[in-house]
Amino acid sequence: MEHAPTWLTYGFLYLTAAVLAVPIAKALGLGAIIGYLAAGIAIGPWGLGLVSNVQDILHFAEFGVVLMLFLVGLELQPSRLWALRRPIFGTGTAQVLGCAAVLFALGALAGLPWRVSLVGALGLALSSTAIALQSLAERNLMRTQSGQAGFSILLFQDVAAIPILALLPVLGAAAGDGAGHTPGEMALEVLKIVGVIAAIILGGRLLLRPVLRWIAKSNTPEIFTAAALLLVVGIAYLMVMVGLSMALGAFLAGVLLADSEYRRELEADIEPFKGLLLGLFFIAVGMSIDFGVILRSPGLMAAILVGFLAAKAIVIYTLAKLVNIPYQERPVFTLLLAQGGEFAFVVFQAAAGASVFPAETASLLIGAVALSMLISPLLLVLLDRVLLRRYAQLKSEPRAEEISEPQEAPIIIAGFGRYGQIVSRVLLAQGLRTTVLDHSVEMLEVARTFGYRVFYGDATRLDLLRIAGAEHARILVIAVDDAEQSLKIAKLAREHFPQLQVVARARDVTHWNKLRDLGVTLVQRELFESSLQSAHTVLELMGLAPAEATAITRRFRTHNIALADRMYPHYKDRAKFIAVAREGRNQFAEQMAKERQESAALGATGGAYPGYGEPGSPQSADGAASAQDVDKSRP
């Protein structure tokens, strides 16, 4: 039998491992990253031994990190990046130098040669961009203060890796291998680096958009996808040729295209490749863990791992306090930056190649970094389940105008998003006093900018509702976005403040039904009225008189509300629920079709506008209704 090609065999192994391990890890609440790492360990040299060329795969998989940085750059316009210059070069410099100084001191105290201590400290000071950004994205923390600070530090680390790598040949020459560069050669390298970065910036400004516009005019989607990949691959190749970080070059290209008209299409084309290659990168990290080194020196490995994680955590947590990151966000911020990074692999391998330290030392350090990348996601899960749950029960630090004194307004509004703002503005225009609560610091800043007084606080807390005056208020408006939070607030209100009339916003029919279960009857589906307005506009555009379009949409509104009341008792029985929905829709469609026929017979204009079919035709109302099924997740 003919053997399968290597690429097919490895592709089958990686995809099988990922498809099996990731869903299991997600089901256990451990996250996708742990699933990928576990898959890598399972098929790697120290697992089933199905894959041996780990370093080749790791180098290829690093392209996933490159694509991720390109997409991050697409989200950052140059003006926004310029606004981040202080945290990038201020906080970033403080993190790298602070962690490196502490780690260098620990190495010196342990009796290591100063070159080993210095390179080890610089390599271990770096963090995993892939794991950190992925974890921040999964937790929706990228827009928070800790997310912005973490991103700034990670970006600076990519920049800092350049001089670290440039330092290695000098240290190797000082150690006596004669591999150093002359001052002239070093100056030439610096000029080459500056020239490449300048070429990317100028080329991005002058050439990229016209080229993409020319390709887009071909109306060939697969070629545009190929062009997007070629752009990233080409810049990564250029950066490698001059010894720079591929991720840094891709990031710069993304920033240059952040305000272009092709940004969304580039994101859509590259996103699938980024996800798969990032998964492959995590699998490769799992495969690269050298358990042989760990087994030969378990005590030393544990000391390195615990030592550098603890030292970095102390420095980073102190830095988080100095830059006023909210204390609830500090544990995740600290842990994500305390772990080792993928660039440390490159630094330590290059250091061994330059004879800065032996290959055995490089293996120990690489093993410690890989282990830190393995246990960090596990520690994040532990953090979420234990420490952050305790934080949620504590009184938060004042980050905005916290509600602390009892309020007496007759109306309480929970949530000041797009829904709550409109309700609040109408009431304020009528001179009605309200107490508005929102637990989003960003939303509070927006409210303050426009002159609204909004209190910081989570309305799902009973003590906070009491302070807001729920015992004496007449009305509670639940306008929060999250359905689970909405239900929790409604339950607290019905149990503890029975005098409150609750007016709630429902995201969909399922949410509406659950609010009804809690005894809340004044519920508005958030898209229902705006959808009716759009339908009214379409009817007018099709030729109906405004009065007739209004009558039709009003009748539909009345019918739909009545139908929802009929469906409500059966919403837990899906078969019955769907049957009632279909029956109600068909009855309404048949009634409307009958009225159109009668109007046509009398010579009226109703139903005579172009494009409106006869009853039962594809364009008719009853035909459309009979083809519809009930999607309980929709309004």
Side-chain angles (χ1 to χ4, degrees):
M1 182 181 291
E2 198 174 308
H3 290 291
T6 303
W7 66 267
L8 183 61
T9 303
Y10 283 158
F12 175 76
L13 288 174
Y14 298 140
L15 292 174
T16 302
V19 168
L20 291 177
V22 174
I24 293 173
K26 295 278 281 187
L28 295 174
L30 300 177
I33 294 174
I34 294 177
Y36 284 122
L37 292 171
I41 294 172
I43 65 175
W46 294 93
L48 299 175
L50 301 175
V51 179
S52 56
N53 58 336
V54 176
Q55 291 305 315
D56 291 342
I57 297 302
L58 187 59
H59 291 153
F60 174 73
E62 282 177 7
F63 195 60
V65 183
V66 173
L67 291 176
M68 179 178 66
L69 263 295
F70 178 72
L71 291 177
V72 169
L74 282 176
E75 295 295 329
L76 280 176
Q77 294 178 333
S79 58
R80 189 176 164 211
L81 181 63
W82 179 252
L84 289 173
R85 65 190 184 281
R86 289 184 180 176
I88 291 173
F89 292 101
T91 312
T93 302
Q95 183 271 325
V96 172
L97 294 183
C99 290
V102 172
L103 292 170
F104 177 77
L106 290 176
L109 289 174
L112 296 175
W114 71 269
R115 294 180 186 83
V116 176
S117 297
L118 179 60
V119 175
L122 291 171
L124 294 175
L126 305 178
S127 312
S128 173
T129 301
I131 293 178
L133 291 184
Q134 186 85 351
S135 299
L136 288 171
E138 287 177 354
R139 288 166 171 75
N140 294 317
L141 294 175
M142 283 300 293
R143 297 282 184 179
T144 64
Q145 188 176 347
S146 63
Q148 293 291 305
F151 170 74
S152 300
I153 290 172
L154 291 167
L155 184 57
F156 178 81
Q157 288 180 1
D158 270 340
V159 177
I162 300 167
I164 291 174
L165 287 174
L167 182 66
L168 297 179
V170 178
L171 292 176
D177 70 341
H181 293 294
T182 65
E185 291 174 331
M186 294 293 290
L188 186 61
E189 288 294 321
V190 171
L191 288 174
K192 190 188 298 184
I193 290 170
V194 173
V196 167
I197 294 176
I200 290 175
I201 294 174
L202 292 176
R205 284 291 182 187
L206 301 176
L207 298 177
L208 281 183
R209 292 187 190 182
V211 169
L212 289 174
R213 189 178 301 116
W214 176 67
I215 293 171
K217 285 181 179 178
S218 68
N219 293 320
T220 314
E222 65 271 17
I223 296 301
F224 194 89
T225 302
L229 290 172
L230 175 63
L231 169 65
V232 182
V233 171
I235 290 176
Y237 184 78
L238 183 63
M239 298 297 273
V240 168
M241 294 299 292
V242 295
L244 296 179
S245 164
M246 293 188 295
L248 177 62
F251 174 78
L252 288 176
V255 170
L256 293 171
L257 292 170
D259 54 0
S260 77
E261 62 271 33
Y262 304 106
R263 168 186 160 193
R264 293 302 177 195
E265 192 163 357
L266 288 168
E267 285 179 339
D269 287 341
I270 288 179
E271 184 70 38
F273 298 97
K274 184 266 293 185
L276 284 173
L277 286 171
L278 263 185
L280 180 59
F281 171 78
F282 293 129
I283 290 175
V285 170
M287 291 189 296
S288 69
I289 299 176
D290 189 347
F291 289 95
V293 175
I294 298 172
L295 294 174
R296 286 195 298 273
S297 311
L300 181 58
M301 179 62 73
I304 295 172
L305 178 63
V306 174
F308 96 80
L309 285 177
K312 285 183 70 175
I314 292 171
V315 174
I316 294 166
Y317 193 87
T318 303
L319 182 62
K321 292 183 69 174
L322 292 175
V323 297
N324 295 321
I325 290 177
Y327 82 100
Q328 295 97 331
E329 299 175 16
R330 289 174 198 166
V332 173
F333 174 80
T334 301
L335 184 55
L336 287 177
L337 294 177
Q339 66 186 316
E342 50 273 357
F343 219 93
F345 298 152
V346 180
V347 171
F348 295 144
Q349 286 170 348
S355 301
V356 176
F357 47 57
E360 182 70 14
T361 303
S363 296
L364 274 171
L365 292 173
I366 290 171
V369 169
L371 280 177
S372 74
M373 295 170 71
L374 173 64
I375 67 172
S376 289
L378 291 169
L379 292 176
L380 276 175
V381 173
L382 186 64
L383 204 64
D384 288 338
R385 295 183 179 179
V386 180
L387 187 58
L388 296 185
R389 186 173 294 177
R390 291 182 59 195
Y391 273 1
Q393 298 170 354
L394 299 175
K395 187 174 183 293
S396 60
E397 291 181 348
R399 296 184 295 171
E401 186 182 1
E402 246 186 355
I403 186 166
S404 56
E405 297 180 1
Q407 303 296 309
E408 298 179 353
I411 304 169
I412 300 171
I413 300 176
F416 198 67
R418 54 200 172 111
Y419 196 97
Q421 287 176 27
I422 295 174
V423 175
S424 178
R425 288 172 60 188
V426 172
L427 299 178
L428 288 173
Q430 297 303 311
L432 294 171
R433 292 185 299 119
T434 61
T435 299
V436 184
L437 304 174
D438 200 292
H439 66 282
S440 168
V441 177
E442 291 81 3
M443 189 57 66
L444 264 64
E445 291 175 354
V446 171
R448 186 183 295 111
T449 300
F450 287 93
Y452 294 103
R453 191 182 185 205
V454 181
F455 292 101
Y456 174 76
D458 185 355
T460 61
R461 284 171 43 191
L462 178 60
D463 60 331
L464 190 144
L465 283 176
R466 292 188 191 280
I467 296 173
E471 289 180 323
H472 309 290
R474 294 174 52 190
I475 301 167
L476 170 64
V477 180
I478 303 176
V480 296
D481 287 328
D482 187 84
E484 293 301 320
Q485 289 183 358
S486 168
L487 294 170
K488 189 173 181 180
I489 296 169
K491 186 176 181 181
L492 285 175
R494 303 308 296 165
E495 288 179 356
H496 298 278
F497 313 108
Q499 91 290 351
L500 273 179
Q501 294 187 72
V502 179
V503 178
R505 156 203 191 180
R507 293 188 64 86
D508 47 48
V509 173
T510 301
H511 187 195
W512 184 87
N513 287 327
K514 290 181 178 179
L515 286 167
R516 290 288 303 271
D517 284 346
L518 294 172
V520 181
T521 57
L522 304 174
V523 187
Q524 295 293 330
R525 283 175 283 165
E526 60 182 23
L527 297 179
F528 185 54
E529 300 295 340
S530 58
S531 301
L532 285 177
Q533 287 297 319
S534 295
H536 182 284
T537 301
V538 172
L539 289 174
E540 284 193 36
L541 292 172
M542 289 298 292
L544 260 67
E548 192 171 356
T550 299
I552 290 173
T553 51
R554 282 180 179 171
R555 288 195 60 186
F556 180 84
R557 183 181 186 278
T558 302
H559 160 78
N560 192 272
I561 292 173
L563 178 59
D565 286 331
R566 284 173 54 195
M567 293 162 61
Y568 165 64
H570 311 292
Y571 85 90
K572 295 181 181 178
D573 182 349
R574 182 167 177 79
K576 181 67 174 175
F577 184 76
I578 291 175
V580 173
R582 284 181 170 171
E583 180 185 1
R585 290 182 178 187
N586 288 336
Q587 286 176 353
F588 182 71
E590 290 168 3
Q591 178 63 30
M592 295 299 292
K594 181 179 179 182
E595 291 181 8
R596 288 198 306 277
Q597 287 178 336
E598 291 174 351
S599 297
L602 293 173
T605 60
Y609 47 90
Y612 208 107
E614 293 302 318
S617 70
Q619 292 88 6
S620 69
D622 55 334
S626 63
Q628 294 285 343
D629 199 351
V630 176
D631 181 355
K632 65 179 180 178
S633 68
R634 298 294 182 187

